[in-house]
Amino acid sequence: MKNQNADVSSETGLVLEGGAMRGMFTAGVLDVLMENGVEFDGAAGISAGAVFGCNYKSRQIGRVIRYNKRFSRDWRYCSIRSLILTGDLYGADFCYRELPDKLDVFDTETFSKNPMEFYVGATDVRTGKAVYHRCTDGGREDLDWMRASASMPIASKAVRIGNYQLLDGGIADAVPYRFMESKGYTRNVIVLTQPLGYKKKKTGGMPLFRLFLRKYPAVVRAMEHRHEMYNRQMDEIAELEKEGKALVIRPRESLGIGRTEKNPEELERVYQLGRAEAVRRLDEIREFLN
């Protein structure tokens, strides 16, 4: 929990990029940090960074790689069949109800008791801007926000929560380091899923997005400029890293994994790359936070 009486410089944050199954790298990093008792005052995740990062607050080491390997080839988890039958490539009921409630239980009690603040970002389809939600109990509303954060356009329906209709947070804010700074977290560990020097290209297939997202013109505009936003963020993060204002953990080279990878061996490979990088830099992370 943030210490309201402490100097702002004591606020430590964990910032998690998305990237679909590139998030196995992030899962490996987070498990090593949990195994070694590394804690943060707050965290924020986008897309896979949200749905995988929530396990940091619930302190469930190994859960992400476990359930992904177990269910990656289950049509209810992720498949064209699910997209046709439910409107979501990643089945909403299976992924955000049956799995966390019964099949690999999400520890909501520990999640609630852990004082670390945890934020999830999604894109408001009406404005094309990022909106954030603080998750407190791991209950239905929190899970709906996580689902919204990871709801890829075309591959998912917009998620309605209160007055919002939401899609993938990465459309509007790929890496939420500025959001964390705005909340008072000034010493952030940022976990990326692309290597140093990666530049995002302009979104392909924009005519298809314009067709399927014609009800959401603000989202279409955001997607047209998404590569510019992302590349600007990478430049800013590299500068923060250079100045010692952020510690950045990223893969050394392209992870070479598909966004919807189903091969458990590939998931394990990328997970182990994340573990290895976290182990290599563990002392540096501790020094930065302390």
Side-chain angles (χ1 to χ4, degrees):
M1 182 184 295
K2 293 197 295 180
N3 182 349
Q4 301 298 328
N5 296 317
D7 186 272
V8 71
S9 64
S10 69
E11 310 290 358
T12 60
L14 177 64
V15 181
L16 305 173
E17 182 184 10
M21 286 306 161
R22 293 199 312 271
M24 289 298 104
F25 177 86
T26 303
V29 171
L30 299 186
D31 279 355
V32 168
L33 297 183
M34 283 192 284
E35 288 165 3
N36 287 276
V38 178
E39 297 186 352
F40 297 86
D41 297 314
I46 293 289
S47 193
V51 297
F52 296 163
C54 64
N55 295 278
Y56 205 90
K57 184 171 169 63
S58 64
R59 297 192 171 107
Q60 289 179 275
I61 298 169
R63 181 173 180 266
V64 174
I65 185 63
R66 181 176 64 240
Y67 76 70
N68 273 280
K69 288 174 67 175
R70 179 181 174 188
F71 297 111
S72 61
R73 288 174 169 159
D74 190 315
W75 76 266
R76 298 169 298 171
Y77 184 66
C78 175
S79 67
I80 296 299
R81 181 180 176 185
S82 174
L83 179 61
I84 293 170
L85 293 178
T86 71
D88 291 298
L89 185 69
Y90 284 87
D93 187 65
F94 182 80
C95 293
Y96 298 96
R97 299 291 186 272
E98 188 170 355
L99 198 160
D101 289 351
K102 300 176 182 178
L103 300 176
D104 198 322
V105 176
F106 183 53
D107 187 349
T108 56
E109 182 178 359
T110 298
F111 186 95
S112 299
K113 291 180 178 178
N114 186 342
M116 182 186 80
E117 295 183 351
F118 185 72
Y119 296 91
V120 168
T123 299
D124 184 342
V125 301
R126 292 173 297 181
T127 66
K129 303 294 185 182
V131 289
Y132 282 87
H133 168 75
R134 181 183 173 188
C135 300
T136 57
D137 61 5
R140 287 287 164 246
E141 183 178 12
D142 287 352
L143 289 175
D144 282 345
W145 273 90
M146 294 176 201
R147 175 164 68 96
S149 183
S151 290
M152 298 179 286
I154 298 182
S156 310
K157 296 177 292 187
V159 179
R160 183 180 293 278
I161 305 175
N163 294 324
Y164 287 119
Q165 278 188 282
L166 304 166
L167 281 171
D168 189 341
I171 298 170
D173 190 10
V175 187
Y177 60 99
R178 291 300 185 196
F179 169 79
M180 287 294 280
E181 290 175 349
S182 75
K183 303 299 288 186
Y185 297 98
T186 57
R187 284 192 294 143
N188 293 310
V189 171
I190 303 173
V191 183
L192 303 179
T193 57
Q194 296 284 14
L196 181 65
Y198 171 81
K199 294 295 182 182
K200 184 179 286 294
K201 298 178 180 179
K202 190 171 184 178
T203 303
M206 279 306 303
L208 194 63
F209 284 109
R210 292 188 188 100
L211 174 63
F212 279 88
L213 299 173
R214 58 189 179 277
K215 295 191 299 182
Y216 311 129
V219 172
V220 173
R221 288 194 297 271
M223 292 197 66
E224 289 175 335
H225 298 282
R226 186 179 184 182
H227 64 295
E228 298 169 359
M229 175 271 292
Y230 185 89
N231 294 335
R232 182 175 62 252
Q233 287 191 334
M234 292 304 105
D235 290 341
E236 290 179 357
I237 288 171
E239 188 63 28
L240 290 172
E241 183 180 28
K242 181 179 178 180
E243 295 173 355
K245 296 179 180 179
L247 188 147
V248 183
I249 304 173
R250 54 167 73 83
R252 298 192 186 188
E253 57 187 16
S254 175
L255 294 171
I257 189 171
R259 292 182 63 82
T260 58
E261 180 62 61
K262 296 180 179 299
N263 185 343
E265 292 181 358
E266 276 296 285
L267 301 178
E268 181 69 28
R269 177 185 66 82
V270 173
Y271 170 76
Q272 291 298 335
L273 288 175
R275 288 190 61 90
E277 189 64 15
V279 168
R280 185 180 75 85
R281 301 189 63 190
L282 188 57
D283 289 344
E284 184 184 356
I285 293 167
R286 283 173 166 157
E287 182 178 357
F288 175 78
L289 293 176
N290 293 325

